Amino acid sequence: MELDIKFAEKFKPNFISSDLKFCANDYNEEDEIEFVVKFWPFSRYKDKVLRNIVKDAKLIHRQKIKDAWENHFSNGQFTFDDKLVFEQVWPSIEQEIENFIFQKDSSCPVKKFEQENSPDKELNDLKEFYKPLIEKAVKCERGLSLERRIVKIINKEENFEFRKTYKREIDFGFFKLIGIPDGIDHKRKTVIEIKTKEWIQPESEKERLQCLSYLRMLDFEKCLLVQSDKNREKKIIEISRDDQEFTDKIYNKLKQFVDKYRTITEDEFLYKILFYCEIKTVPDVLTRFLHND
């Protein structure tokens, strides 16, 4: 017997301009589940799902990585090497992982290892799952560190006055679109978006949609999509406002997504969660490490 067919009729999510994967066909059903459980009424089941989601390193490790990049860029050079920074921060983090697994302080006991989970196995599991989070954080913090520096260069070289801004949003009734541009120039009604990459690449669909969403919510006419690579080469792509493209590629697709989950039954959603939990699990040792402060 199906549960209440109207259980999600008031579902109203917030979509983030920097992550419009549901518009660019860059997602799977697991991504959908992880997204919708952030909002009522699907949030009733978030504990079943969120315990299987680990996407970020510890804040203390993010800060260590941030400090490493700030030191790297302090002399004015904008070239970068992610591998080099990773190799700077990983040894101490790796040692922290080993201390966590093999700690002997009785005042801070570690959960007894079951026979199938020996300390060596848990050590290897933890490193295997945590290392990619550190590599991801290295890339993320590199982008954040370079962002404001590149904005200053563009202001000087291209004669703009981009300034940092606050969160912007536009409410469409059944969903909100939210974003924080890297900078805006009010006088020239232009927004800037910075992307740091290993190599200069063609403009991606997600990048274009991000810029179009900023232009719509700000009521601006132009966005400068600036790519900067590890050798300090940069490319400026100018994207003009296009309300029809915004409607076709962003508004309509997000509306379809919301409609899909507004009409789902609770029984159908519970089945999705059951399937999700079978294929997506996080080792207990990783959960314990992340909450060990």
Side-chain angles (χ1 to χ4, degrees):
M1 179 179 178
E2 287 186 340
L3 300 179
D4 186 2
I5 196 169
K6 296 181 178 180
F7 114 102
E9 64 179 353
K10 294 184 178 180
F11 171 54
K12 182 179 179 179
N14 298 331
F15 294 102
I16 309 301
S17 294
S18 59
D19 188 21
L20 291 174
K21 56 178 170 282
F22 300 122
C23 299
N25 297 319
D26 183 25
Y27 66 97
N28 53 39
E29 189 164 83
E30 292 90 75
D31 294 323
E32 291 187 7
I33 298 299
E34 292 173 4
F35 176 78
V36 300
V37 294
K38 300 174 184 177
F39 308 98
W40 180 261
F42 303 106
S43 55
R44 297 176 189 173
Y45 304 104
K46 65 180 180 180
D47 290 342
K48 294 179 179 293
V49 174
L50 297 184
R51 67 189 178 194
N52 294 314
I53 303 175
V54 178
K55 293 188 174 182
D56 293 309
K58 285 185 174 185
L59 288 178
I60 190 173
H61 296 152
R62 290 288 296 261
Q63 185 62 51
K64 183 189 293 286
I65 295 167
K66 178 180 179 180
D67 292 343
W69 279 123
E70 289 296 319
N71 181 64
H72 177 81
F73 295 129
S74 62
N75 61 1
Q77 68 168 13
F78 292 169
T79 58
F80 60 83
D81 186 336
D82 291 345
K83 183 178 179 181
L84 179 63
V85 169
F86 174 82
E87 291 173 348
Q88 288 177 4
V89 301
W90 179 246
S92 62
I93 295 173
E94 189 175 34
Q95 184 61 57
E96 184 179 333
I97 289 173
E98 293 178 3
N99 292 342
F100 171 75
I101 294 296
F102 296 109
Q103 63 180 304
K104 297 183 183 203
D105 184 353
S106 59
S107 66
C108 184
V110 178
K111 177 181 175 182
K112 290 184 177 180
F113 299 107
E114 297 178 3
Q115 289 184 351
E116 65 271 21
N117 288 333
S118 68
D120 286 338
K121 182 180 185 307
E122 290 211 324
L123 176 63
N124 292 333
D125 286 348
L126 184 49
K127 287 183 180 181
E128 178 184 352
F129 276 85
Y130 200 62
K131 184 177 179 180
L133 296 182
I134 296 300
E135 292 171 332
K136 174 187 171 184
V138 167
K139 293 180 180 180
C140 181
E141 293 298 336
R142 172 248 293 164
L144 293 174
S145 294
L146 275 175
E147 177 185 299
R148 67 180 184 277
R149 294 174 165 89
I150 294 173
V151 169
K152 289 181 179 179
I153 290 177
I154 297 299
N155 281 340
K156 181 178 180 180
E157 295 181 352
E158 305 295 332
N159 195 30
F160 278 94
E161 295 183 9
F162 289 115
R163 297 290 182 268
K164 200 66 179 168
T165 186
Y166 52 87
K167 181 176 73 175
R168 304 303 179 102
E169 68 177 53
I170 182 168
D171 192 332
F172 290 100
F174 43 85
F175 71 83
K176 287 184 179 181
L177 187 57
I178 298 174
I180 306 178
D182 290 337
I184 60 176
D185 184 327
H186 277 288
K187 291 182 180 179
R188 299 176 66 172
K189 296 184 76 68
T190 302
V191 63
I192 189 171
E193 179 59 31
I194 308 296
K195 300 295 182 184
T196 63
K197 305 182 177 187
E198 289 283 318
W199 306 103
I200 299 297
Q201 301 170 355
E203 160 202 330
S204 72
E205 179 75 356
K206 283 182 68 175
E207 290 170 349
R208 180 171 180 82
L209 295 180
Q210 182 178 1
C211 292
L212 289 175
S213 71
Y214 288 149
L215 293 175
R216 178 63 180 268
M217 67 177 62
L218 288 161
D219 195 23
F220 280 9
E221 299 302 322
K222 182 171 63 176
C223 176
L224 298 188
L225 175 61
V226 181
Q227 293 187 10
S228 179
D229 72 9
K230 63 182 181 181
N231 296 318
R232 200 177 178 178
E233 296 294 325
K234 68 176 182 293
K235 178 181 180 181
I236 301 177
I237 303 170
E238 187 172 309
I239 297 176
S240 299
R241 178 171 174 171
D242 188 325
D243 287 345
Q244 187 59 54
E245 186 177 4
F246 175 89
T247 298
D248 293 341
K249 295 184 176 180
I250 300 178
Y251 176 86
N252 287 344
K253 288 193 175 184
L254 294 183
K255 184 178 184 301
Q256 289 172 6
F257 182 89
V258 174
D259 287 343
K260 173 183 177 179
Y261 278 92
R262 281 193 169 191
T263 57
I264 196 173
T265 68
E266 193 167 6
D267 198 30
E268 289 170 336
F269 186 66
L270 287 172
Y271 179 79
K272 285 179 177 286
I273 288 181
L274 179 63
F275 178 75
Y276 171 91
C277 292
E278 287 180 351
I279 64 175
K280 191 131 184 185
T281 58
V282 171
D284 177 65
V285 65
L286 178 58
T287 303
R288 286 189 282 123
F289 178 69
L290 291 172
H291 292 88
N292 179 67
D293 294 319

